[in-house]
Amino acid sequence: MSYEMWAEKYRPKSLNQIINQKEIVERLNSFVKARNVPHCIFAGPPGTGKTTAALCLARDLYGTAYREHLMELNASDERGIKMVRENVKTFARTRSIGEISFKILILDEADNMTSDAQQALRRTMERFTETCRFIMIANYSGKIIEPLQSRCAPFRFSYMSQKDQNSYLQRIIKKENIKILDEGLDAIFEVSGGDLRKATNTIQAAASMGKEIDAKTVYSVIGRANPADINEMIKTAMKGDFLGARKKLREMILKYGVAGSDIVKQIHTEIFRSMLPDSWKVTLSEAIGEIDFRLVQGADEEVQLSALLARLTEAGHDLKRGA
């Protein structure tokens, strides 16, 4: 089953089925109860339920035939001024047939709209408020011009907690008869960071291997090194064994097929989780930032990662001398 089919199968069908966004759900439910919705901006990180919340709002408002009163435009559609003048205006100016007199237009990834299109949208939102309400969805609300923001009620979505993410995934695990260890769930949260879309995609990819899902399986399907391996490499380098750490690095690149920039990010995370003195965390963060910048500029991965391991080895020697 494709990810899109999984997403549709387990997507909440009502606002009350949405988890981890309680305050937002309460506010949206008050709109449903009043049978009235203002223009809205749903802003927040990816995979936190913004589009799902908009669709659930429409379903709760109009019932099962909500698609007749809804238009959804996303990043795959044309997002210029012509689209606003033609498609959006045509949809917005016609009144909805039914108990509720207005329709809903969802502009997904509205922060990718051109400046001209956003300017054209200002007057459209004012003129057709009686017949159409706009829900703009954006990862970065700062990219939406202030005149549009001032016309909308803001909703800020946050990443999901591990408890809520596991609760959602357990529903999928039970229905799909997936075998997974606790360490597998911990690893999924580690790689998704509260992005439920990524978590669902990860567990589907891991389940497709047809075996019990553990941390190793999760990291292998996501193309990310196991934090335990990163930690071992850092400790080996700081003990003074530069060649041993470099060997471990090469093994990880071959084993996981992970990019150099991803390894740098994981080293950065593990350094801050370590018991190193704060002063050394600052020093090593500066070195990691320099290596990351060089990789972005196109420098050779192996050379730069070896340079970073050399810096960790020097740091280990300096720490011993300081002790």
Side-chain angles (χ1 to χ4, degrees):
M1 186 183 293
S2 69
Y3 166 72
E4 289 76 13
M5 293 175 69
W6 267 49
E8 188 59 35
K9 183 178 180 180
Y10 295 106
R11 186 195 297 272
K13 300 298 187 291
S14 170
L15 287 170
N16 293 325
Q17 294 178 6
I18 296 175
I19 57 177
N20 199 48
Q21 308 290 350
K22 293 181 181 178
E23 291 183 5
I24 290 174
V25 168
E26 286 177 5
R27 291 173 63 190
L28 294 179
N29 270 326
S30 69
F31 296 157
V32 174
K33 188 176 180 180
R35 315 298 280 176
N36 194 15
V37 179
H39 299 311
C40 301
I41 289 181
F42 290 179
T48 52
K50 300 185 296 297
T51 304
T52 296
L55 294 173
C56 286
L57 172 64
R59 184 188 287 268
D60 288 351
L61 201 59
Y62 300 109
T64 54
Y66 70 101
R67 287 287 180 186
E68 298 175 9
H69 309 270
L70 178 73
M71 181 177 184
E72 186 179 359
L73 296 173
N74 57 42
S76 63
D77 300 302
E78 184 187 351
R79 308 301 290 275
I81 191 169
K82 183 179 178 182
M83 179 273 294
V84 174
R85 286 174 174 168
E86 296 178 3
N87 299 8
V88 172
K89 281 188 178 180
T90 301
F91 177 80
R93 66 163 55 102
T94 55
R95 186 176 294 275
S96 177
I97 299 173
E99 181 186 347
I100 298 171
S101 61
F102 60 86
K103 296 182 289 187
I104 291 179
L105 195 152
I106 298 174
L107 288 170
D108 207 346
E109 300 191 36
D111 46 345
N112 288 331
M113 289 179 68
T114 63
S115 179
D116 288 343
Q118 291 191 43
Q119 294 291 348
L121 200 58
R122 295 167 58 180
R123 185 61 180 151
T124 303
M125 290 175 69
E126 286 181 352
R127 287 182 61 192
F128 303 116
T129 298
E130 291 297 320
T131 56
C132 185
R133 305 296 161 81
F134 290 76
I135 298 179
M136 290 185 286
I137 299 173
N139 292 333
Y140 307 101
S141 59
K143 291 184 178 181
I144 296 176
I145 60 175
E146 286 293 336
L148 290 185
Q149 292 191 47
S150 67
R151 288 170 169 81
C152 300
F155 291 83
R156 304 286 177 182
F157 288 70
S158 58
Y159 277 123
M160 192 165 292
S161 67
Q162 183 170 5
K163 180 181 176 182
D164 287 331
Q165 178 175 295
N166 287 351
S167 174
Y168 178 85
L169 293 180
Q170 285 292 353
R171 200 156 56 92
I172 299 176
I173 290 165
K174 186 176 180 180
K175 289 188 176 181
E176 298 294 333
N177 197 26
I178 297 170
K179 295 180 180 179
I180 186 169
L181 301 177
D182 288 342
E183 68 175 62
L185 285 171
D186 291 340
I188 289 173
F189 184 76
E190 173 76 24
V191 300
S192 66
D195 180 337
L196 197 55
R197 184 189 299 118
K198 189 172 184 179
T200 307
N201 216 353
T202 301
I203 196 171
Q204 183 191 16
S208 67
M209 298 184 72
K211 59 183 181 180
E212 190 174 56
I213 301 172
D214 56 11
K216 183 179 178 182
T217 305
V218 172
Y219 291 121
S220 64
V221 299
I222 204 68
R224 187 169 172 179
N226 193 321
D229 291 337
I230 295 287
N231 239 324
E232 186 181 340
M233 181 184 69
I234 293 172
K235 288 178 181 178
T236 302
M238 296 196 76
K239 285 177 182 177
D241 186 3
F242 170 73
L243 293 179
R246 191 165 177 267
K247 182 181 178 182
K248 185 71 179 174
L249 170 67
R250 286 180 166 179
E251 287 175 357
M252 281 192 297
I253 291 174
L254 289 173
K255 180 179 178 181
Y256 297 107
V258 65
S261 57
D262 291 332
I263 290 181
V264 170
K265 289 175 186 175
Q266 287 190 257
I267 291 174
H268 180 264
T269 300
E270 295 306 317
I271 288 292
F272 275 90
R273 286 179 177 173
S274 70
M275 301 301 291
L276 287 170
D278 288 348
S279 58
W280 274 102
K281 288 181 181 179
V282 172
T283 302
L284 291 175
S285 291
E286 185 178 3
I288 292 168
E290 176 65 26
I291 297 300
D292 185 55
F293 175 75
R294 292 176 187 175
L295 289 176
V296 170
Q297 293 299 309
D300 183 82
E301 284 188 357
E302 187 172 351
V303 172
Q304 297 304 319
L305 288 171
S306 295
L308 180 54
L309 291 179
R311 185 69 189 92
L312 291 172
T313 304
E314 289 177 354
H317 285 310
D318 292 343
L319 272 170
K320 287 178 183 176
R321 282 203 299 267

